């Protein structure tokens, strides 16, 4: 009989910070698409005699990230050398915070698999520099031989914030939601674009399985997970691998494993016993990083409304359903767009419906200001016309497409397509009712004879009238006129 168990998961997330220059030099961080080895200098390539110079903007971003994660900010910290040799590390060491991180002992709230709120501990957030990038034969058009490998140092020295969680996650689903929460947070703060596919956010997982009878599997580390789906799939596979080994009486080797997305399996990379001894020691070329409490307080005051606070406010202030809020608050820019539409006069529920059903189908990727398909004022104007009964919902949908295609207001789009704005009422509506009744005299006769016991014929006539006015009439007024005409 299989014993009950639960996974124990901790994540290490490397977030590339949105600095225009590298962590310890003035070289550009724009390495994607750049000509290899052009955004480099003696400092980021580790040439003899070059000394690192601290980037203040990166420190500011790190503090903001730590505060948003409810961390304690250490006013005195320092950088250390992490020593190892690899072809993409020109100095043969990486400058990182190890002994005294910038921020530690925080929390991040997610939902567990049952939908309940759960706090995940944040062990630390520290700053470090990135390594270069290996380009293997066949992956670059300039490389002729498939046996060659080249190194591009453009990424070397790019600033990273490493966020390490406590081992508080209990399922692949929780791990996925935790990564989503980190990505959402850094985007709200504007400190990273959080793009996993481009490598702006990279995730490693440490996992073991605890059985209720006291047995534990050894901890393994899983790397090479470059999407949310990959994280969830890799952890699910690794959990089942641990369980199968323990249940069969075999040992789980403590090792680093890579996720093979094509074959949906993890594969061994190196054992923990063979892992490098990084021989950390304080970076001698950088003095301790000393912050003032005023600096930290200033960063705290500059924080925007954070995702969790916005989520709760949308539920309470606007009365939106949770499934709507789940989409609207995911992006700070999308949430801002929603609130601007409401501020311009549209009701929150209508604004949400239009965004979810019509606007988002026109946008791919992020919802930055330049990607808005329509200004919030114009969309609010269209929604208000519909809410005030001046145009029907069908007409509003038609005008929306014209407004997008021709960059028009609702009124301009109506004029361009010869559509009416405003309800059909009074004598004009009376004439339309008489016209419909005259065209359907046989139906009218059935109603007057008393044979329309369930009002099906009457509803049929009312539908014809509403279609004739394209929905631009009060149903109550149409019904009253019908009663009058039928007699």
């Amino acid at each position: 009989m299989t014993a009950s168990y639960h996974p124990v998961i901790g994540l290490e997330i490397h977030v590339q910070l949105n600095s225009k220059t590298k962590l310890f030099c003035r070289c550009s961080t724009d390495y994607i698409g750049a000509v290899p080895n052009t955004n480099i200098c003696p400092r980021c390539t580790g040439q003899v005699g070059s000394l690192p110079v601290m980037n203040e903007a990166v420190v500011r971003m790190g503090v903001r990230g730590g505060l948003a994660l409810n961390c304690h900010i250490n006013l005195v910290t320092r950088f250390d050398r992490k020593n190892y040799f690899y072809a993409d590390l020109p100095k043969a060491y990486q400058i990182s915070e190890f002994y005294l991180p910038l921020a530690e002992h925080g929390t991040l709230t997610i939902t567990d698999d049952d939908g309940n709120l759960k706090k995940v501990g944040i062990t630390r957030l520290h700053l470090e520099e990135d390594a270069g990038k290996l380009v293997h034969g066949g992956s670059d058009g300039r490389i002729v031989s498939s046996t060659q490998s080249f190194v591009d140092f453009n990424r070397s020295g790019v600033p990273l914030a490493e966020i390490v969680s406590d081992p508080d996650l209990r399922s692949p689903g929780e791990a996925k939601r935790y990564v989503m929460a980190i990505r959402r947070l850094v985007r709200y703060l504007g400190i990273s674009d959080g793009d996993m596919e481009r490598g702006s956010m990279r995730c490693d997982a440490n996992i073991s399985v605890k059985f209720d009878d006291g047995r534990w599997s050894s901890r393994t580390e899983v790397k090479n997970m470059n999407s949310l789906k990959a994280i969830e799939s890799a952890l699910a596979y690794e959990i089942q691998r641990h369980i199968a080994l323990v249940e069969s009486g075999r040992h789980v080797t403590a090792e680093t494993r890579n996720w093979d997305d094509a074959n949906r399996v993890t594969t061994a990379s190196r054992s923990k016993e063979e892992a490098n001894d990084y021989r950390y020691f304080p970076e001698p070329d950088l003095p301790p990083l000393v912050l003032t409490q005023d600096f930290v307080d200033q960063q705290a005051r500059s924080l925007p409304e954070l995702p969790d606070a916005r989520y709760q406010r949308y539920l309470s202030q606007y009365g939106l359903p949770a499934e709507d809020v789940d989409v609207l608050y995911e992006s700070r820019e999308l949430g801002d767009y929603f609130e601007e539409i409401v501020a311009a006069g549209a009701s929150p529920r209508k604004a949400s419906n239009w965004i979810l059903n019509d606007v988002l189908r026109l946008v791919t990727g992020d919802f930055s200001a330049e990607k808005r398909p329509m200004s919030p004022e114009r969309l609010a104007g269209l929604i208000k016309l519909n809410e005030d009964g001046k145009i029907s919902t069908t007409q509003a949908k038609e005008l929306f497409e014209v407004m997008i295609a021709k960059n028009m207001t609702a009124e301009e789009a109506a004029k361009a397509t010869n559509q009416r704005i405003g309800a059909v009422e009074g004598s004009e509506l009376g004439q339309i009712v008489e016209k419909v009744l005259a065209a359907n005299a046989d139906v009218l006769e059935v109603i007057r004879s008393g044979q329309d016991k369930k009002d099906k014929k009457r509803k049929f006539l009312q539908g014809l009238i509403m279609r004739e006015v394209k929905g631009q009439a009060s149903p109550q007024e149409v019904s009253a006129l019908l009663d009058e005409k039928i007699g």
Side-chain angles (χ1 to χ4, degrees):
M1 178 178 178
T2 302
S4 57
Y5 61 88
H6 66 258
V8 179
I9 303 168
L11 298 183
E12 300 171 3
I13 298 178
H14 290 83
V15 176
Q16 183 179 309
L17 298 174
N18 276 342
S19 171
K20 293 182 179 180
T21 56
K22 295 183 180 181
L23 183 53
F24 299 118
C25 68
R26 301 295 295 172
C27 291
S28 170
T29 57
D30 186 16
Y31 63 87
I32 296 179
V35 176
N37 297 312
T38 54
N39 295 332
I40 59 175
C41 72
R43 287 175 182 160
C44 57
T45 54
Q47 296 182 33
V48 176
S50 61
L51 298 174
V53 177
M54 192 67 217
N55 185 332
E56 181 183 344
V58 172
V59 176
R60 189 179 302 113
M61 292 179 204
V63 170
R64 285 164 60 84
L67 290 169
L69 289 166
N70 304 297
C71 289
H72 167 72
I73 304 299
N74 290 318
L75 297 182
V76 179
T77 184
R78 72 172 191 233
F79 285 88
D80 307 286
R81 288 189 179 182
K82 179 182 180 180
N83 295 273
Y84 67 96
F85 178 78
Y86 201 64
D88 61 8
L89 195 69
K91 295 192 290 281
Y93 62 85
Q94 178 189 31
I95 301 178
S96 175
E97 292 178 310
F98 181 70
Y99 293 107
L100 291 173
L102 182 64
E104 54 188 345
H105 309 312
T107 58
L108 180 65
T109 301
I110 64 168
T111 55
D112 63 19
D113 290 340
D114 296 321
N116 301 313
L117 294 180
K118 172 178 180 174
K119 288 187 180 295
V120 177
I122 303 297
T123 307
R124 58 192 282 144
L125 178 152
H126 64 264
L127 303 176
E128 63 185 24
E129 61 180 345
D130 208 346
K133 182 180 180 181
L134 289 176
V135 181
H136 301 291
S139 62
D140 190 304
R142 290 167 293 226
I143 300 175
V144 177
S145 172
S146 61
T147 61
Q148 291 178 309
S149 291
F150 290 77
V151 186
D152 179 5
F153 289 121
N154 281 343
R155 196 178 68 181
S156 181
V158 166
L160 302 175
E162 181 173 353
I163 302 169
V164 182
S165 82
D166 293 348
D168 291 342
L169 301 166
R170 294 292 176 266
S171 72
E174 284 190 5
K176 176 184 176 181
R177 289 189 291 277
Y178 171 83
V179 175
M180 289 175 65
I182 291 288
R183 183 180 66 180
R184 186 185 306 121
L185 190 65
V186 299
R187 288 176 173 176
Y188 263 67
L189 296 172
I191 63 176
S192 176
D193 62 23
D195 191 330
M196 296 187 71
E197 291 185 358
R198 286 163 43 111
S200 300
M201 197 169 91
R202 308 194 289 273
C203 179
D204 300 332
N206 292 288
I207 182 168
S208 59
V209 176
K210 179 182 180 181
F211 292 80
D212 288 351
D213 59 10
R215 292 177 295 170
W216 279 81
S217 68
S218 298
R219 178 171 60 88
T220 59
E221 182 180 24
V222 182
K223 293 179 176 289
N224 195 38
M225 300 175 292
N226 61 0
S227 70
L228 293 170
K229 183 178 180 181
I231 290 170
E232 197 168 23
S233 299
L235 290 176
Y237 175 87
E238 192 65 6
I239 289 168
Q240 293 305 315
R241 192 182 71 86
H242 280 225
I243 293 168
L245 287 171
V246 172
E247 287 295 327
S248 65
R250 289 178 288 172
H251 176 66
V252 176
T253 302
E255 62 186 352
T256 298
R257 299 178 68 85
N258 289 324
W259 172 243
D260 182 343
D261 203 41
N263 295 306
R264 317 300 290 171
V265 297
T266 62
T267 57
S269 173
R270 64 174 185 269
S271 72
K272 291 294 184 183
E273 288 75 12
E274 297 171 351
N276 291 317
D277 176 8
Y278 293 121
R279 297 177 291 112
Y280 284 99
F281 63 84
E283 168 56 59
D285 292 333
L286 283 169
L289 178 61
V290 180
L291 308 178
T292 66
Q293 189 60 50
D294 285 345
F295 176 83
V296 175
D297 292 343
Q298 182 183 21
Q299 302 316 308
R301 289 191 295 271
S302 73
L303 294 179
E305 180 183 39
L306 298 179
D308 287 350
R310 173 171 273 187
Y311 185 92
Q312 295 302 323
R313 182 168 63 83
Y314 279 16
L315 292 176
S316 60
Q317 179 179 341
Y318 297 124
L320 296 175
E323 54 268 25
D324 284 18
V325 181
D326 285 340
V327 178
L328 293 176
Y329 97 120
E330 181 65 28
S331 159
R332 180 181 174 185
E333 292 78 13
L334 182 58
D336 290 345
Y337 184 65
F338 162 74
E339 296 201 52
E340 289 169 28
I341 295 171
V342 174
S347 71
R349 193 62 183 266
K350 287 287 188 179
S352 175
N353 288 341
W354 274 89
I355 288 174
L356 300 183
N357 297 323
D358 298 276
V359 174
L360 287 182
R361 65 181 171 81
L362 302 175
V363 180
T364 55
D366 67 276
F367 199 85
S368 52
E370 60 272 13
K371 288 192 175 182
R372 291 178 172 182
M374 183 185 297
S375 74
E377 293 77 17
R378 287 188 175 182
L379 184 52
L382 177 68
I383 295 171
K384 286 167 63 180
L385 288 175
N386 179 230
E387 288 187 299
D388 294 343
K390 294 182 179 180
I391 58 175
S392 67
T393 299
T394 300
Q395 188 181 11
K397 299 289 186 181
E398 294 172 356
L399 292 179
F400 177 81
E401 300 298 335
V402 178
M403 291 167 69
I404 295 293
K406 298 186 177 182
N407 191 26
M408 292 178 169
T409 65
E411 291 79 4
E412 290 169 341
K415 184 177 180 180
T417 55
N418 296 315
Q419 295 195 51
R420 175 192 181 112
I421 290 181
V424 179
E425 53 192 2
S427 60
E428 183 182 4
L429 180 58
Q431 291 172 6
I432 293 174
V433 171
E434 290 179 353
K435 174 186 172 183
V436 170
L437 293 179
N440 295 272
D442 55 335
V443 177
L444 181 60
E445 183 61 31
V446 172
I447 297 173
R448 284 174 171 167
S449 68
Q451 298 179 48
D452 189 24
K453 301 297 184 182
K454 296 184 178 180
D455 287 339
K456 289 184 178 180
K457 300 294 185 181
R458 187 185 183 285
K459 291 177 181 177
F460 169 73
L461 290 177
Q462 185 162 349
L464 291 178
I465 295 167
M466 293 302 294
R467 185 169 65 182
E468 186 72 21
V469 298
K470 298 182 178 178
Q472 291 177 257
S474 164
Q476 293 78 14
E477 187 176 357
V478 170
S479 181
L481 280 171
L482 261 179
D483 288 341
E484 179 185 324
K485 301 296 183 183
I486 290 172

